[in-house]
C-alpha cells in the first residue's frame, strides 16, 4: 500500500510540474505584454543594461510579497524595450562600506569577474548610507587612482565607484538614479534628511560627466508616491513608506524608462510624443490599490544579498497551491484502491 501511495504521489507531482511549466509562464507572458507592451522601435532594444543598487533597485519587497511576473523598474524596462538586463541590486547595499562588503562597488567587481560587459550601467544608491547616518565626506578637487579613495564615507566611495567603472567598463554609458524623497520613513537614521547625500551625488555626477535622473527633487512624483489618506499617508505606492510596491514600480518605471531612452537617443521621446501625445510617463490610469500586506516588509537591513538576473514568472505560489489540492486527492485515490 505504501508503494502505491508513493508512486501516486510521484506521478502527481511530476504531472503537476509539467502542467505548471507549460501553462503558467504563458499566462504570465500574456499579462506582462499587456501591462508593459514592447516598443519594437525602442533605441534600447537588444542593448545590455546592468542595474546596480540596493533593495529598491532589486525590488526585494515586490518579488517576495507580490510574486510579480517582472520585478522592479529593471524588469519593466526590459519588457517594454526588448533589452537584455541584469539586476545586480542587493538588499542592504550601500555606496560606502558602512555595510561591510555589501557595496555597489562589489556588485561591479562581481560583474567584472564574471566577464560581463554592458552597454549601459545604471547606478542607484545612497539610501542605506543615509539609513546608517554615515558621513557624507568631501568631494575631491581632482581625480585619484581608484585605490586611493577612502570608501568609509559616501562621497569618496561614490567617486571610487565611478573611477572603477571607467577603468573596467570603458565602453559602457554610465548613469545614476537619485532616489525619490521619503516623506514618512519611520526607519533609518537620516532617510528623511537625505539632502546632503543628494547634493554630493549631483556634484560628483556633474564633475565626472555622468548623466543623472533626479527623482528626489521631482515634487510632482514625490507627491504621487505619498498620497494622503485623511491626516496620514497612504501605503499604496510605498509598501513601508520606503520600498515600492507593485503599484509603486508601475508609477516609477516610466520616468526611468524615458531617462534611459533619452540617454541613447535624445530625439526619440520627442518624436514619440508627437505621434502620441497621450503616451507619456506617469499618465496611465492607476489600477485599484493592492492590499497592503500585514507582515513586516523585508528591509534594507537584511544581511542576505540577492542577485536576480532578470525576473520570470513566479511559479512557487501557484505550484504550492496546486500541490495542496493534489495531495488530498492522491490520498483519496489510495484509500479507494485499498477498499
Amino acid at each position: 500500500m505504501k508503494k502505491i501511495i508513493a508512486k501516486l504521489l510521484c506521478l502527481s507531482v511530476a504531472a503537476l510540474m509539467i502542467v505548471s511549466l507549460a501553462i503558467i509562464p504563458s499566462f504570465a507572458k500574456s499579462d506582462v505584454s499587456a501591462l508593459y507592451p514592447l516598443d519594437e522601435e525602442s533605441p534600447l532594444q537588444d542593448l545590455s543594461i546592468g542595474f546596480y543598487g540596493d533593495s529598491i533597485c532589486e525590488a526585494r519587497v515586490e518579488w517576495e510579497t507580490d510574486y510579480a511576473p517582472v520585478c522592479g523598474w529593471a524588469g519593466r524596462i526590459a519588457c517594454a524595450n526588448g533589452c537584455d538586463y541584469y539586476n545586480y541590486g542587493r538588499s542592504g547595499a550601500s555606496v560606502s562600506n558602512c555595510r561591510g562588503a555589501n557595496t555597489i562597488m562589489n556588485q561591479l567587481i562581481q560583474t567584472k569577474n564574471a566577464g560581463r560587459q554592458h552597454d549601459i550601467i545604471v547606478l542607484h544608491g545612497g539610501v542605506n548610507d543615509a539609513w546608517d547616518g554615515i558621513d557624507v565626506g568631501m568631494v575631491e578637487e581632482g581625480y585619484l587612482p581608484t585605490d586611493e579613495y577612502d570608501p568609509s564615507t559616501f562621497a569618496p566611495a561614490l567617486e571610487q565607484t565611478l573611477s572603477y567603472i571607467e577603468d573596467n567598463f570603458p565602453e559602457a554609458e554610465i548613469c545614476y538614479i537619485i532616489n525619490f524623497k521619503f516623506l514618512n520613513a519611520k526607519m533609518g537614521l537620516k532617510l528623511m534628511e537625505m539632502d546632503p547625500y543628494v547634493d554630493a551625488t549631483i556634484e560628483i555626477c556633474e564633475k565626472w560627466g555622468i548623466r543623472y535622473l533626479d527623482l528626489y527633487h521631482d515634487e510632482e512624483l514625490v507627491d504621487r508616491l505619498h498620497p494622503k489618506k485623511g491626516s496620514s499617508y497612504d501605503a499604496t505606492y510605498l509598501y513601508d513608506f520606503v520600498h515600492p510596491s507593485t503599484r509603486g514600480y508601475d508609477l516609477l518605471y516610466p520616468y526611468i524608462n524615458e531617462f534611459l531612452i533619452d540617454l541613447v537617443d535624445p530625439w526619440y521621446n520627442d518624436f514619440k510624443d508627437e505621434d502620441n501625445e497621450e503616451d507619456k510617463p506617469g499618465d496611465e490610469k492607476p489600477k485599484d490599490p493592492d492590499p497592503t500586506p500585514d507582515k513586516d516588509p523585508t528591509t534594507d537591513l537584511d544581511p542576505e544579498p540577492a542577485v536576480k538576473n532578470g525576473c520570470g514568472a513566479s511559479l512557487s505560489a501557484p505550484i504550492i497551491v496546486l500541490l495542496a489540492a493534489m495531495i488530498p486527492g492522491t490520498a483519496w485515490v489510495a484509500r479507494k484502491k485499498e477498499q
Side-chain angles (χ1 to χ4, degrees):
M1 185 59 203
K2 291 182 179 179
K3 290 182 179 180
I4 293 174
I5 294 176
K7 288 181 180 179
L8 285 171
L9 282 172
C10 290
L11 288 172
S12 298
V13 171
L16 175 63
M17 291 297 292
I18 292 171
V19 171
S20 299
L21 290 172
I23 295 176
I24 295 173
S26 64
F27 287 157
K29 183 177 180 181
S30 175
D31 292 340
V32 168
S33 62
L35 290 171
Y36 318 109
L38 174 64
D39 179 359
E40 296 182 355
E41 298 180 356
S42 171
L44 299 179
Q45 192 167 27
D46 298 327
L47 295 184
S48 177
I49 306 177
F51 293 86
Y52 299 82
D54 52 38
S55 62
I56 295 175
C57 169
E58 179 194 29
R60 181 68 174 266
V61 167
E62 185 180 27
W63 61 260
E64 283 196 344
T65 60
D66 293 341
Y67 305 104
V70 295
C71 290
W73 53 60
R76 287 161 170 78
I77 288 168
C79 286
N81 296 278
C83 53
D84 184 25
Y85 83 107
Y86 286 81
N87 189 348
Y88 299 93
R90 296 183 181 181
S91 180
S94 54
V95 175
S96 70
N97 61 8
C98 63
R99 299 287 180 92
N102 191 7
T103 64
I104 293 172
M105 177 78 157
N106 280 335
Q107 294 171 19
L108 290 156
I109 292 173
Q110 174 196 11
T111 306
K112 178 67 175 179
N113 291 342
R116 292 196 189 100
Q117 292 287 329
H118 296 297
D119 298 299
I120 303 175
I121 289 177
V122 184
L123 304 176
H124 167 267
V127 174
N128 287 312
D129 302 272
W131 189 306
D132 287 2
I134 197 71
D135 288 341
V136 175
M138 299 294 295
V139 179
E140 294 288 341
E141 292 185 5
Y143 301 89
L144 304 177
T146 301
D147 59 0
E148 291 187 16
Y149 288 100
D150 179 9
S152 65
T153 57
F154 176 77
L158 180 53
E159 291 205 79
Q160 181 184 57
T161 302
L162 296 178
S163 176
Y164 181 84
I165 295 173
E166 291 201 346
D167 288 345
N168 293 279
F169 304 93
E171 302 300 320
E173 186 77 41
I174 312 166
C175 61
Y176 197 103
I177 298 170
I178 299 175
N179 198 72
F180 50 85
K181 186 180 296 184
F182 302 114
L183 299 183
N184 195 37
K186 299 176 181 179
M187 52 189 77
L189 294 179
K190 295 186 177 181
L191 289 189
M192 303 277 282
E193 304 170 2
M194 286 190 62
D195 293 71
Y197 302 91
V198 172
D199 292 343
T201 300
I202 292 173
E203 182 180 353
I204 290 169
C205 285
E206 292 180 349
K207 171 187 171 181
W208 286 78
I210 304 300
R211 293 276 297 277
Y212 60 90
L213 175 62
D214 186 359
L215 300 178
Y216 190 83
H217 292 108
D218 190 330
E219 296 298 335
E220 180 185 3
L221 170 62
V222 172
D223 288 342
R224 294 181 69 190
L225 283 170
H226 301 81
K228 281 295 189 74
K229 187 176 183 179
S231 59
S232 60
Y233 288 101
D234 184 88
T236 296
Y237 298 101
L238 298 180
Y239 177 73
D240 54 357
F241 303 108
V242 174
H243 299 86
S245 64
T246 290
R247 287 199 68 194
Y249 284 110
D250 283 342
L251 178 60
L252 284 164
Y253 103 88
Y255 291 85
I256 301 168
N257 186 64
E258 184 173 288
F259 169 68
L260 293 181
I261 289 175
D262 190 62
L263 194 73
V264 175
D265 184 349
W267 301 103
Y268 184 79
N269 287 315
D270 292 335
F271 286 125
K272 186 177 179 181
D273 287 344
E274 288 178 5
D275 293 336
N276 185 1
E277 284 296 324
E278 295 181 357
D279 185 18
K280 293 182 180 178
D283 284 347
E284 65 280 357
K285 293 181 180 179
K287 299 176 290 186
D288 292 333
D290 295 329
T292 302
D294 293 331
K295 67 178 182 179
D296 292 333
T298 302
T299 71
D300 278 335
L301 294 175
D302 188 342
E304 293 297 327
V307 177
K308 296 183 73 61
N309 297 341
C311 297
S314 176
L315 302 180
S316 56
I319 288 175
I320 290 171
V321 172
L322 289 172
L323 274 173
M326 290 290 290
I327 290 173
T330 303
W332 181 82
V333 172
R335 284 198 301 271
K336 284 289 185 181
K337 283 186 174 290
E338 187 176 14
Q339 293 171 358

